[in-house]
Amino acid sequence: MTVEKMLKDSMWDSVGRSVADSVVGSVWRSVEGSVWCSVMDSVELSVRDSVALSVRNSVHAQISEYRYEC
């Protein structure tokens, strides 16, 4: 194996690896981002719903207590 062939092979190896890494990385990042966003959206919605429900329940309880006190 000549030095020139070794250099050419290593250059093509590194080019192929970097292209594969960037393609796989971008695909993985977009998939990961969309999954993460959907998970966070659903968590945020459920937390918001439960907070709204508890606030509404406590407000109703306070209103009914106040009404009974009158």
Side-chain angles (χ1 to χ4, degrees):
M1 187 179 268
T2 62
V3 172
E4 186 182 344
K5 187 177 185 329
M6 283 171 49
L7 284 175
K8 201 178 291 182
D9 285 352
S10 66
M11 186 183 76
W12 279 115
D13 280 353
S14 62
V15 166
R17 263 199 299 275
S18 64
V19 166
D21 284 353
S22 64
V23 167
V24 168
S26 62
V27 166
W28 172 251
R29 269 194 299 277
S30 64
V31 166
E32 191 183 22
S34 62
V35 167
W36 177 251
C37 285
S38 63
V39 165
M40 288 312 292
D41 283 351
S42 62
V43 165
E44 188 183 5
L45 280 176
S46 63
V47 165
R48 195 183 305 154
D49 286 352
S50 63
V51 165
L53 193 63
S54 63
V55 165
R56 194 167 57 213
N57 286 344
S58 65
V59 166
H60 278 307
Q62 286 173 353
I63 287 174
S64 60
E65 280 176 25
Y66 183 72
R67 194 179 300 142
Y68 289 130
E69 285 172 5
C70 288

